Amino acid sequence: MNITSKVYEVGILIVSLLLGSAYYYFIDNKKDFIKEMGDVIFQLIIFVVGWKLVLNFNFLIQEPMSVLVYPSNALSFYLGIISTVIYVWFKNRALLKRVDLWLRFLLLVSFFYEFMMIIYYKDYTRIYYLVLLGLLLIRGHNWWWFSIWQVGIVLLKLYLGSMLVFGYSVNIYFHLIFMVGGLLCLKQSQG
């Protein structure tokens, strides 16, 4: 994949985030959520880039500027998500009480991202994932549906052989861990 293609994917991700934010700002009137979400997304970006630098430390010493252009891999994405969850857990646990909003936001941004990737790259194998996202946006907004989303991704990965989530090829076990975490949060929220 050339650098221009990666720049387009980052642009599509930014537009997807802006569209998801615009929905909550203008339609759902959740302006305070937009601020919280922006802070967490900023932390996620910082953690992913930070882990990319740590994991490519030798490359950073040899070519300091080129490591910033070098795209992150799935491991830095995993570690960035884990670091962000730990950060949110210790910094502001009140954010965890708004998981329904986070889930809807994540589904909405994923839907916009996949739709634009289908339009731009004409990759019609993404339609399966787009349909899954659309059904979940219409139907559910709690941890139970989050777990169904993760199972759907695992099944699509097994069926298609390969699938990207926001441009990352994420391991099936990562989705299964998220599914179990979602079920545990569902159990805890039900008391």
Side-chain angles (χ1 to χ4, degrees):
M1 178 177 289
N2 62 22
I3 193 73
T4 307
S5 178
K6 202 63 176 167
V7 169
Y8 286 142
E9 283 186 31
V10 169
I12 289 172
L13 180 58
I14 290 170
V15 169
S16 301
L17 287 167
L18 290 174
L19 286 172
S21 300
Y23 170 79
Y24 277 103
Y25 190 82
F26 294 113
I27 296 172
D28 228 9
N29 203 16
K30 302 256 191 275
K31 294 175 178 76
D32 58 329
F33 175 70
I34 297 298
K35 183 182 180 313
E36 294 172 358
M37 177 267 315
D39 292 342
V40 173
I41 289 175
F42 181 73
Q43 290 298 325
L44 175 64
I45 292 169
I46 295 297
F47 283 129
V48 169
V49 170
W51 280 111
K52 175 180 80 167
L53 295 175
V54 168
L55 294 173
N56 294 309
F57 189 73
N58 290 338
F59 192 56
L60 177 67
I61 299 299
Q62 296 170 357
E63 295 291 330
M65 293 306 289
S66 61
V67 76
L68 294 173
V69 180
Y70 185 76
S72 302
N73 60 9
L75 182 58
S76 51
F77 181 67
Y78 300 150
L79 293 171
I81 288 179
I82 291 167
S83 301
T84 304
V85 168
I86 291 170
Y87 173 80
V88 168
W89 181 264
F90 286 110
K91 181 78 174 170
N92 190 356
R93 289 189 190 192
L95 291 177
L96 298 176
K97 294 181 179 165
R98 301 178 76 165
V99 292
D100 59 327
L101 289 175
W102 284 99
L103 177 58
R104 278 190 289 169
F105 179 76
L106 192 56
L107 287 170
L108 191 62
V109 170
S110 297
F111 184 85
F112 288 137
Y113 180 82
E114 292 301 323
F115 181 75
M116 287 187 273
M117 292 297 281
I118 289 170
I119 299 299
Y120 184 76
Y121 288 108
K122 298 186 183 2
D123 182 5
Y124 298 111
T125 59
R126 292 178 178 263
I127 288 177
Y128 298 112
Y129 187 42
L130 188 69
V131 168
L132 174 66
L133 291 169
L135 291 172
L136 291 172
L137 276 169
I138 292 169
R139 183 67 185 133
H141 308 298
N142 61 27
W143 281 107
W144 174 251
W145 291 101
F146 179 76
S147 298
I148 290 174
W149 178 26
Q150 298 305 309
V151 169
I153 290 174
V154 168
L155 293 175
L156 284 173
K157 278 184 174 267
L158 293 174
Y159 176 70
L160 297 174
S162 173
M163 196 178 94
L164 301 176
V165 177
F166 292 120
Y168 290 98
S169 178
V170 182
N171 194 310
I172 287 176
Y173 296 114
F174 191 75
H175 293 292
L176 292 175
I177 289 169
F178 261 62
M179 180 193 70
V180 170
L183 290 174
L184 290 174
C185 287
L186 173 69
K187 183 178 179 186
Q188 184 179 15
S189 70
Q190 290 178 344

